[in-house]
Amino acid sequence: MSSSTARDRGSARVRPDRRAALVSATVGTVAAGMVLALATAASAGTTLATSAAEKGRYFGTAVAANKLSDSTYVGILNREFNMVTPENEMKWDATEPSQGQFTYTSADRIVSHAQANGMRVRGHALAWHSQQPGWAQNLSGSALRSAMVNHVTQVATHYKGKIHSWDVVNEAFADGGNGARRDSNLQRTGNDWIEVAFRAARTADPSAKLCYNDYNTDGQNAKSNAVYAMVSDFKARGVPIDCVGFQSHFNSASPVPGDYQANLQRFANLGLDVQITELDIEGSGTAQANSYATVVRACLAVSRCTGISVWGIRDTDSWRASGTPLLFDGNGNKKAAYTATLDALNSGTPIPTTPPPTTPPPTTPPPTTPPPGAGCTASLSLQTWTGGFVATVRVTAGSSGTNGWAATVTLPSGTAVTNAWNAQSSGTTGTVRFANVAYNGRLTAGQSTEFGFQGVGTPPAGTPSCTAS
Ligand code: XIL
């Protein structure tokens, strides 16, 4: 059942029964080359792209424009991949080397190659602290903000309709334990720079999926919690965001996290796509192969994980070539990591025909009699790290239901709320009140809803109080 579902959904496949009929009908009547073409088209599951397509996903790679004249490189690219990401050619320093002067020659070469060969394009990256042209590095304040909006608008407009997904903002959060934004000239223009970039990108190219992309966010940690809080807030406030990219650059110091799949899933549960955007895993042999298989299986187990891109083709093409982190060796031969990746793709879960609901419906607890007269109750759960936390508060209506509610949380001295979602917060320190927003105020008797907030400092202890209206 599931394999026929996968076959039915795919685009470039021929059913085995039809394939046999087609081949026998054509043998002897057409040139051998034609038969070969049919056989190749029918061999679903023998390349990364076809195997991923069987599971409703794409399989991509970073591409460098100056390698498009290398026949080994292009041979592998065209055979194995159906998504490309320009490795450097769409970055700010490449596309706008002087302010207001846009150069698209190298990026256009990659896009043309992709289009001519039936591949999609991930755009990378519109707004980023790194690889900025010198003139932008020297700007600040409103001049930089306007330059950024103009850059996003111009580049997204140039490629309008040609981009599957844009990395609108790349790497905006700091490493380390406090879940803070990364300091950069863009961040110093104001905390809203990210949503401003997303809104500009949506206006310029409404059909591209808009992604936030980062590294060290592959497992649950302070940094990914902060991204999670931002994305939740964007969804609650209607800031246009469609996907989160997980770069997934791994090595022995930063291996595939044990909660990789769970982390992808919790982002997907926010109601957006997740993508593995820059996968490479330093190492060799079986250990490397197993890590690749783990990543592929995790993506296939998350229905909204829509595709995987590796960050280059051969080890020698890699930005960290000495770690031999890719699927093909320097001669273009398939490595053990390639075989493990292909096998994992071929044995993985297809996207279910009816995907599970993106936000679980509010659950009705068993009929424990709510305390008489209580309008609502609230309970709090925490994810903590040194210096900060994310709190999830569950509000449950009493016997009369609610038209609206407010939960009050008392914070320890020195603790502050930095962000809240699915609720309107008043105040940031001391006693903080969180009131319902338009869509979650009305609860029937016993029904629950959840909101969340992020904070710095010591997490709150105790049960929040709740009042209903
Ligand atoms: C890297 C490229 O691979 C290199 O060629 C370049 O010198 C530096 O950037 N995260 C990203 C990518 O989002 O853009 C980076 O690409 C790798 C890390």
Side-chain angles (χ1 to χ4, degrees), residues 171-175 179-182 194 212 214-215 223 226-227 230:
E171 302 180 353
F173 283 82
D175 295 304
R181 292 282 183 86
R182 173 192 294 277
I194 298 180
Y212 176 78
D214 214 329
Y215 68 93
K223 189 173 175 181
V227 175
M230 178 189 75

Side-chain angles (χ1 to χ4, degrees), residues 87-88 91 124 128 131 170-171 213 215 247 249 278 311 319:
E87 186 172 357
N88 290 296
K91 292 173 182 174
H124 174 81
W128 188 23
Q131 291 183 269
N170 198 30
E171 302 180 353
N213 191 53
Y215 68 93
Q247 292 187 8
H249 295 293
E278 304 182 13
W311 204 242
W319 68 311

Side-chain angles (χ1 to χ4, degrees), residues 55 57 246 260-269 272-276 295-307 349-352 356:
K55 300 300 188 295
R57 271 76 169 190
F246 297 85
Y260 189 64
Q261 179 183 322
N263 190 52
L264 296 176
Q265 186 66 61
R266 74 168 173 146
F267 276 91
N269 288 348
L272 32 64
D273 291 343
V274 295
Q275 302 175 356
I276 296 166
V295 169
V296 171
R297 279 194 228 104
C299 179
L300 293 185
V302 175
S303 63
R304 293 201 72 162
C305 181
T306 57
T349 331
I351 288 182

Side-chain angles (χ1 to χ4, degrees), residues 361-365 377 394-397 405 440 443-450:
T363 51
T364 312
T377 54
R394 188 172 182 82
V395 173
T396 304
W405 47 261
N440 62 7
L443 301 174
T444 59
Q447 197 180 22
S448 296
T449 189
E450 286 186 346

